[in-house]
Amino acid sequence: MLTKKQHELLLFIHKRLSEDGVSPSFDEMKDALNLASKSGVHRLVSALEERGFIRRLPHRARALEVLKLPDSAAPKVPAAGGGNVVQADFGARGERGPETVEIPVLGRIAAGVPIEAIQHEQDRLPVPPDMLSGGEHFALEVQGDSMIEAGILDGDIVVIRRCDDAGTGDIVVALVDDQEATLKRLRKKGGSIALEAANPAYETRIFGPDRVRVQGRLVGLIRRYF
């Protein structure tokens, strides 16, 4: 139900209220979560308020009240881009549940400045079978923060269905100039292809169609809590 940062912020606010009887300042929240600006804190607080986890007390500065905490067992919840998110602590990578399907882990994918092209298989990862939509799938570890507003965070594992085409608005693994792989939202504009971030700090990159090859489409996401 909550992103990793929302979860961290809620627990931080709860801890400070329990220890000091007063909620932390926005500067303290920013530092605790290693955010670049207070605008990110405002977004997280608003999201927690909208979901009913906290409320702001009127006419009082720094006045937040925690209404509830998330269940210790994190459920499966919808993800941006039409896939699934599994929030769980898997322990060691490769630990199999009673009903799982193993898919290859092909390294890291940049959700930010593109990194080198997809690597060869490094590991195997068990995933719930209902996350897979038929066809060939692979997993990549996300590196970077350019897709955070689509609910994709640094360190997440994305599950990708291999394909060579996708529709406008799909989140895809795109190979640029046959050497740079990146995770972005695809936009087709006339004879051009735009790779769009989900973070206003990053610019949309526009290419000719011969420079971009779709490698797969996002169908699921796995997040670990330790």
Side-chain angles (χ1 to χ4, degrees):
M1 292 180 63
L2 297 178
T3 68
K4 183 178 180 181
K5 287 296 185 184
Q6 290 167 359
H7 188 270
E8 289 177 358
L9 180 60
L10 180 60
L11 294 184
F12 178 64
I13 294 171
H14 177 68
K15 179 181 178 183
R16 288 293 300 271
L17 285 171
S18 300
E19 293 177 349
D20 305 333
V22 62
S23 58
S25 68
F26 275 55
D27 280 320
E28 290 170 328
M29 296 182 210
K30 176 177 71 71
D31 293 341
L33 272 68
N34 294 317
L35 297 175
S37 69
K38 287 191 288 186
S39 63
V41 177
H42 281 281
R43 287 195 295 268
L44 292 173
V45 169
S46 295
L48 290 173
E49 189 175 24
E50 291 170 1
R51 288 162 174 77
F53 286 92
I54 64 174
R55 72 183 179 101
R56 306 186 208 214
L57 302 179
H59 312 301
R60 292 173 56 187
R62 291 179 55 179
L64 297 173
E65 179 183 9
V66 175
L67 301 177
K68 62 180 180 179
L69 293 173
D71 295 335
S72 57
K76 186 182 293 184
V77 297
N84 295 310
V85 178
V86 174
Q87 298 180 331
D89 180 359
F90 286 97
R93 180 177 289 181
E95 181 180 337
R96 300 191 60 171
E99 296 182 1
T100 59
V101 177
E102 285 193 346
I103 62 174
V105 180
L106 301 185
R108 292 184 174 183
I109 184 73
V113 179
I115 54 176
E116 66 184 65
I118 301 170
Q119 303 164 31
H120 298 295
E121 180 176 332
Q122 297 182 347
D123 204 345
R124 305 287 294 183
L125 181 73
V127 300
D130 59 358
M131 182 178 286
L132 308 179
S133 55
E136 184 181 353
H137 294 76
F138 58 90
L140 294 163
E141 181 179 350
V142 175
Q143 184 176 44
D145 63 356
S146 77
M147 298 302 290
I148 56 174
E149 293 190 1
I152 303 171
L153 310 181
D154 183 58
D156 285 348
I157 304 293
V158 288
V159 179
I160 306 296
R161 183 180 185 275
R162 193 181 295 277
C163 61
D164 57 13
D165 194 18
T168 291
D170 286 342
I171 296 176
V172 303
V173 173
L175 189 63
V176 180
D177 295 332
D178 289 326
Q179 60 183 356
E180 297 177 336
T182 188
L183 183 73
K184 291 292 182 292
R185 194 177 298 279
L186 180 76
R187 301 285 184 192
K188 297 180 179 179
K189 300 181 177 181
S192 299
I193 292 178
L195 299 179
E196 180 181 278
N199 182 337
Y202 292 83
E203 294 183 354
T204 297
R205 304 175 73 203
I206 300 176
F207 302 93
D210 58 333
R211 295 186 59 194
V212 177
R213 291 197 294 123
V214 173
Q215 304 291 286
R217 179 175 59 85
L218 175 72
V219 297
L221 185 147
I222 295 172
R223 179 167 299 147
R224 288 179 173 82
Y225 288 94
F226 297 96

